[in-house]
Amino acid sequence: MAYAFDTLGYSKALREAGIAQDHAEAHAAAAREFIMVDLVTKEDLRTALELQTLQMTVRLGGIVAAGFAALAALIKLT
């Protein structure tokens, strides 16, 4: 999920705080380009958690199946 970043509003707030217009605009562009790209949303985290849960479930199922197969082999040997 992407968030819209109001560079104009951000730049305006910097200008109102006394930052030169070219500096404010450069800072807003840099913030959009470098910071906003790396933000993680709650939805991103939920998706990653669901994927990890699925992977762990599959692995655990494989371990259980291997355990039953080993137990069946041992029972056949006795």
Side-chain angles (χ1 to χ4, degrees), residues 19-60:
I19 306 295
Q21 181 172 348
D22 57 337
H23 290 235
E25 290 172 1
H27 194 279
R32 181 189 65 236
E33 185 175 341
F34 296 107
I35 297 170
M36 297 303 292
V37 174
D38 292 331
L39 287 182
V40 176
T41 64
K42 287 181 182 180
E43 189 58 36
D44 294 335
L45 293 175
R46 265 191 215 100
T47 301
L49 181 60
E50 287 174 6
L51 178 60
Q52 288 296 318
T53 302
L54 177 61
Q55 289 174 342
M56 289 176 63
T57 302
V58 169
R59 288 181 185 157
L60 181 58

